[in-house]
Amino acid sequence: MNNRTSFASRLIGKNSRQGNWYVPLIIFGVFASVLAFSAPDFATSQNASNLLAQAMPLIIVAIGQMIVIVLAGMDLSVGSVMSMTTAILALDGSPLVLIPLAFLAAALVGAINGVAIVKLNVHPIIATLSMQFVVVGIAQLLRPVAGGSVPDIVVTLVTGSLFGVPAVVIWAIVVVGISWRLLHGSRFGLHLFAIGGGVSSGQDDAAHNFGLSDQRNIILAYVLSALFAALAGFFIAGRIASGDPGVGSQFALDSVTAVAIGGTQLSGGIGSLHGTIFGALLMALLANGMNLANLSAFLQGAIKGVILLLVVALQSRKKMGL
């Protein structure tokens, strides 16, 4: 009986660091079922592939966002990093130069965010919001308006297929596999939850007192967040086959909302990769539904803001802050 109870507790995230990841899964299942009955074309493999392709950039950037939120941080620069990545990839040059340059630039942004937070004691929201404006300026300088063309290899890697399997499915398997290993199967992931748990309980130095290098892990977390954002930008660049300095503008709010819906506590220490993925899929499904309903972009943004407010309000926190 105890073993069954323990398994059930772990499954639903009760008294664990997994969070209430099952909530977005249930809501997603209900919405998908309704759409499947009301729209026959919804429950097709082609539509499922299209929905996954629409959701993939958000899934990728939300995973990076979760890494810093587990630490009780936040990265508002992810959207601008995505835009900058598309702008770099759309420059004239060899893909052997442009692709590494895009990821190196993203890593630099993440490193600056991390150093500002741990060395200069700047609040994560202020540090990353400031960097957001800097990176947006760089993206607009590189690509003042949407256009240009990205290397063919980028388009092929995103829209092609391998042995009949759509590239987006391969992306999903690889990204989720690597992320799962990073967050739930490595010492680094364990350290992230330990550091965030200490912050959430009001003991910011708890992990450090146990010998964990909290500053190094925090900087690395922000570097990873930026790299995931660059990967999401790479995917978008492959889909639109061009650069766009404003393409990532919505992803800062969307990624935080997806992570919060997925059960990750914004106060740190609690969360799960599967919850974040389900949260991102639910956000993509909602966006698809709002587009079908012809809601304006402004109203969609307002709805997302209300959803984030409600989700955060329902989270239990032991102290004020994120």
Side-chain angles (χ1 to χ4, degrees), residues 170-183:
I170 299 174
W171 273 75
I173 294 172
V174 172
V175 169
V176 171
I178 293 175
S179 302
W180 186 276
R181 175 64 179 172
L182 179 68
L183 284 167

Side-chain angles (χ1 to χ4, degrees), residues 183-310:
L183 284 167
H184 298 301
S186 72
R187 183 171 297 180
F188 171 72
L190 182 62
H191 290 177
L192 290 182
F193 283 98
I195 295 170
V199 175
S200 177
S201 63
Q203 300 175 342
D204 295 15
D205 295 331
H208 178 76
N209 293 335
F210 279 100
L212 300 183
S213 180
D214 51 346
Q215 292 191 355
R216 183 182 64 189
N217 283 306
I218 291 172
I219 293 174
L220 180 56
Y222 278 91
V223 170
L224 287 172
S225 176
L227 288 175
F228 272 99
L231 188 62
F234 182 100
F235 188 91
I236 290 181
R239 289 201 72 195
I240 65 177
S242 62
D244 187 342
V247 73
S249 59
Q250 66 180 7
F251 282 91
L253 174 63
D254 285 1
S255 62
V256 174
T257 306
V259 172
I261 289 176
T264 297
Q265 294 281 329
L266 300 189
S267 56
I270 295 176
S272 65
L273 175 64
H274 40 294
T276 296
I277 293 171
F278 294 142
L281 287 172
L282 178 57
M283 287 290 294
L285 191 62
L286 290 174
N288 185 262
M290 289 189 291
N291 288 333
L292 291 175
N294 293 319
L295 297 182
S296 70
F298 302 104
L299 184 56
Q300 290 188 34
I303 292 174
K304 292 174 184 177
V306 171
I307 292 174
L308 177 59
L309 179 62
L310 291 174

Side-chain angles (χ1 to χ4, degrees), residues 39-188:
D41 292 338
F42 179 81
T44 63
S45 58
Q46 181 62 44
N47 187 65
S49 179
N50 291 336
L51 180 62
L52 182 59
Q54 294 172 10
M56 186 52 61
L58 181 56
I59 291 174
I60 297 172
V61 73
I63 291 172
Q65 186 73 257
M66 178 199 163
I67 292 175
V68 295
I69 289 182
V70 164
L71 291 168
M74 190 173 291
D75 190 350
L76 298 180
S77 67
V78 291
S80 59
V81 170
M82 293 172 65
S83 298
M84 180 182 68
T85 300
T86 69
I88 292 175
L89 292 175
L91 295 174
D92 293 330
S94 168
L96 297 177
V97 175
L98 296 179
I99 294 175
L101 179 61
F103 284 96
L104 284 174
L108 179 60
V109 171
I112 294 174
N113 283 334
V115 169
I117 292 166
V118 303
K119 298 295 185 182
L120 303 180
N121 293 319
V122 181
H123 193 281
I125 291 179
I126 301 301
T128 58
L129 181 62
S130 301
M131 186 56 64
Q132 176 190 9
F133 291 114
V134 173
V135 178
V136 164
I138 294 173
Q140 293 174 339
L141 181 64
L142 295 174
R143 176 61 55 185
V145 295
S149 59
V150 300
D152 292 339
I153 184 64
V154 176
V155 178
T156 300
L157 287 173
V158 173
T159 63
S161 62
L162 181 64
F163 303 117
V165 179
V168 65
V169 176
I170 299 174
W171 273 75
I173 294 172
V174 172
V175 169
V176 171
I178 293 175
S179 302
W180 186 276
R181 175 64 179 172
L182 179 68
L183 284 167
H184 298 301
S186 72
R187 183 171 297 180
F188 171 72

